[in-house]
Amino acid sequence: MNPADCPTLHNLDNASTAFLFETVDFGVEHVKQGEGPFIPFAATLGENGEKGIAKFIGDEDDDSWTQEDMVALGRRKLRELDDDPHCVALVHDGYFTGDGGRTEAVFVEAYELGRPAGVHLCQRYERRGGEIVLIGNPMLFDDAVEPLVPADRQRVEFPHLSSEAKRFALDVIGIGIECLEPEPAVMTPFAAVVGEDGSPEMWSLVDDEDGPTVGGGLDLGREQLAAVDRTAMFVALVWGGERLDGGEQEGAVFTEVYELGRPAGVQLVQQYRRIDHDRIALMGEPQVLDEAEPLVPPVEQPRSAAFARLQEMANQKRG
């Protein structure tokens, strides 16, 4: 799809415009993968060009959840977005009614943070003999929609983590999601360290090649991280497990992150649902579970000779 074939998109720079059309294509690919509407999702474009995806699924125990409900859930999540990407997009399947009648369409609403408004595109299509046939080029459905991410949003705070450490925490959770194996809740634990110079290092944690366990891998990781050079900036353990509320085809990626020099670390969880053998949908944003003991114990400062002499005198007096 060529952006030149579409009306000018106000409130988007070149990077955001290219991202918007890539997102339209990605939505069309989702249409081709199933017979019904795909699960709505949000796409993000970072300041450095990195991209992310989050899908929105309603209450699986409530059969009344509709496509519109899940789109509304996506809007709510984006209003609460804690990060500062360059551009975000909300993508969903639906119907377009125009002069040519009613057709199915992929709708993409995009917003570049800091702009006064977003834009709304749709790509019409129809199903012919099991194939998806696009109808024309993407259409500018609306070029002045409310910002998806309000400037005055309330941010979720991660205790004991600076903004850089928080970014590290979210990055390692993302790597954990990518490392998930086809079976639910299966992932080899790993440790991650960011050194003083900002260079990252990761290694798998396998306690026994013949019969590895998650618990054994984590024990091994804690032992190794306890000996990490104390000039490092951040460290983390990452592992997979069952979702907090259980259920088949569902799981969670957990991480314990510690920023050296802080009084405590933090445990986070990202829950997900497996759609099929190769695809998963994230269930909302990472959640803070609890504080945690420092993964790298602080070095006990040696006491001065004068303090040691006072301690000795006090002991003698008590004796």
Side-chain angles (χ1 to χ4, degrees):
M1 297 178 185
N2 186 355
D5 297 331
C6 193
T8 300
L9 301 171
H10 300 290
N11 292 313
L12 297 181
D13 63 13
N14 291 336
S16 296
T17 300
F19 169 68
L20 169 60
F21 281 87
E22 289 177 7
T23 307
V24 171
D25 289 337
F26 194 41
V28 171
E29 289 302 313
H30 274 63
V31 169
K32 294 178 180 180
Q33 293 174 4
E35 297 181 357
F38 58 80
I39 297 171
F41 65 89
T44 59
L45 173 68
E47 291 291 347
N48 297 320
E50 64 275 13
K51 298 169 186 175
I53 293 290
K55 294 191 175 182
F56 306 107
I57 302 176
D59 186 347
E60 61 199 83
D61 297 325
D62 185 353
D63 295 334
S64 67
W65 271 81
T66 64
Q67 186 82 346
E68 290 75 17
D69 291 330
M70 288 185 280
V71 171
L73 174 63
R75 291 187 187 282
R76 187 169 73 250
K77 291 296 184 181
L78 286 174
R79 285 198 298 270
E80 301 167 354
L81 188 67
D82 192 42
D83 205 356
D84 280 323
H86 181 68
C87 186
V88 300
L90 181 62
V91 187
H92 63 93
D93 207 358
Y95 291 93
F96 175 84
T97 302
D99 295 338
R102 187 171 185 256
T103 64
E104 292 184 273
V106 172
F107 292 89
V108 179
E109 184 176 334
Y111 174 63
E112 182 178 320
L113 273 71
R115 301 277 185 160
V119 298
H120 202 173
L121 279 181
C122 76
Q123 171 62 64
R124 296 173 296 158
Y125 68 88
E126 61 182 4
R127 302 177 189 272
R128 298 179 189 169
E131 298 292 328
I132 300 299
V133 179
L134 301 184
I135 303 175
N137 293 311
M139 298 172 54
L140 185 60
F141 190 64
D142 193 349
D143 62 352
V145 294
E146 291 294 319
L148 285 168
V149 184
D152 60 350
R153 66 192 185 278
Q154 294 295 317
R155 304 197 175 200
V156 177
E157 296 296 332
F158 287 8
H160 306 301
L161 297 182
S162 64
S163 58
E164 288 187 359
K166 175 188 166 184
R167 192 174 303 115
F168 166 70
L170 297 178
D171 286 345
V172 295
I173 285 181
I175 294 171
I177 292 291
E178 293 175 0
C179 292
L180 287 169
E181 299 176 21
E183 296 301 322
V186 176
M187 190 195 86
T188 302
F190 66 87
V193 175
V194 173
E196 184 180 21
D197 60 356
S199 60
E201 181 181 356
M202 295 191 303
W203 62 90
S204 296
L205 300 169
V206 180
D207 63 319
D208 184 344
E209 293 184 1
D210 295 327
T213 64
V214 173
L218 293 179
D219 288 342
L220 176 62
R222 293 183 191 282
E223 180 182 337
Q224 294 176 343
L225 289 179
V228 160
D229 190 325
R230 284 162 174 77
T231 60
M233 297 171 62
F234 323 120
V235 299
L237 287 176
V238 185
W239 69 98
E242 298 291 337
R243 241 185 77 182
L244 299 182
D245 53 2
E248 294 184 4
Q249 300 298 318
E250 296 164 1
V253 171
F254 298 87
T255 184
E256 186 173 324
V257 180
Y258 175 60
E259 181 174 3
L260 275 75
R262 300 276 180 160
V266 60
Q267 290 183 346
L268 306 173
V269 59
Q270 171 65 69
Q271 300 190 88
Y272 65 86
R273 178 179 179 182
R274 189 171 292 281
I275 300 174
D276 53 31
H277 185 271
D278 298 314
R279 295 183 300 157
I280 65 170
L282 302 184
M283 308 293 282
E285 301 293 322
Q287 302 174 30
V288 176
L289 287 179
D290 203 354
E291 293 185 350
E293 291 294 322
L295 286 168
V296 183
V299 177
E300 185 175 349
Q301 296 298 323
R303 294 177 175 178
S304 67
F307 184 89
R309 177 58 181 158
L310 287 172
Q311 186 69 49
E312 180 182 352
M313 292 172 61
N315 291 337
Q316 291 175 349
K317 186 174 182 180
R318 283 195 297 269

